[in-house]
Amino acid sequence: DQLANGSSLEDVLGPPDAENRSDYFRMQQWADNGRFGILVGSEHGEGDGYDGVRIENCLVYCNQEDGIKVGGTTARGGRNIIIRSCTSYSNKTMAGIWIQSAQNGLIERCKSYNNWCYNIWVWNDINVTIRYCEVWRGIGPNLGGDEGGFDIDWSCHACTIVYCYSHHNNGMGFLLMGLGDGVYNGTP
């Protein structure tokens, strides 16, 4: 399925629930769409993410917040997410590509640069792998905060970054956070 510019998967399919889960969709170019380039999840607080989402071969840039954001509201909300061969750049106040509150994910062969927050990162996830990706110029406000390359953030379990390249960022190239005070407190 192809989504119209500026819409989210929730706009097309309705809020996520047991009967309404996505299998696969593919996108091409998303630019200057308002808040998000691509948003898959329960941003409106209904449901808890989608299962089996694949986003491939897309170009996302110049959005007000995130380039690509996928996930749910709890650590097992979004499931089986693949973001592959995508490029995200110059998203003005947030990240290039990230998965939040999900289980079993892969971000692979992506490029992300010139984003305000971390270029590629995960938060409150179980078993997400970032591999064969390149990030640069995580620009942010340079206040020792969230500008940088890759981040495995609060409340992540069994998440991995392998074979990735990070360079020329205002902040850290790779940031690995602790358990923190996030949502998930069980075992994978």
Side-chain angles (χ1 to χ4, degrees):
D1 299 330
Q2 182 123 6
L3 302 180
N5 267 352
S7 62
S8 70
L9 189 59
E10 187 171 325
D11 293 332
V12 174
L13 296 177
D17 58 35
E19 292 81 40
N20 191 12
R21 306 294 269 187
S22 172
D23 290 324
Y24 171 76
F25 64 100
R26 183 182 195 114
M27 291 175 229
Q28 298 302 320
Q29 182 171 324
W30 298 75
D32 201 15
N33 286 318
R35 284 184 66 197
F36 305 100
I38 300 169
L39 169 63
V40 180
S42 41
E43 182 68 13
H44 303 294
E46 299 177 20
D48 195 17
Y50 293 89
D51 188 2
V53 172
R54 289 193 305 174
I55 300 172
E56 297 181 329
N57 303 311
C58 60
L59 174 62
V60 182
Y61 58 97
C62 296
N63 297 288
Q64 289 302 314
E65 291 188 26
D66 296 301
I68 301 171
K69 178 181 176 183
V70 181
T73 55
T74 66
R76 290 190 172 100
R79 292 185 300 280
N80 305 312
I81 297 164
I82 298 173
I83 303 171
R84 181 181 287 133
S85 300
C86 295
T87 299
S88 179
Y89 67 90
S90 297
N91 295 293
K92 297 176 181 119
T93 61
M94 275 302 287
I97 300 169
W98 66 300
I99 297 175
Q100 70 161 35
S101 301
Q103 182 175 6
N104 302 327
L106 174 65
I107 301 172
E108 179 179 60
R109 300 192 188 284
C110 293
K111 294 180 181 179
S112 188
Y113 59 95
N114 265 11
N115 295 293
W116 188 258
C117 187
Y118 275 89
N119 280 301
I120 298 178
W121 68 299
V122 296
W123 173 78
N124 194 38
D125 290 325
I126 304 167
N127 192 35
V128 175
T129 299
I130 302 169
R131 68 180 178 200
Y132 304 115
C133 295
E134 181 181 6
V135 297
W136 63 98
R137 283 191 305 242
I139 54 176
N142 201 19
L143 300 173
D146 281 339
E147 65 277 345
F150 296 98
D151 176 14
I152 295 177
D153 213 285
W154 299 109
S155 301
C156 286
H157 299 269
C159 294
T160 310
I161 300 172
V162 294
Y163 306 114
C164 291
Y165 181 42
S166 177
H167 56 94
H168 297 94
N169 295 292
N170 280 359
M172 286 68 63
F174 295 86
L175 176 64
L176 306 175
M177 300 292 285
L179 179 60
D181 61 352
V183 178
Y184 181 71
N185 289 314
T187 57

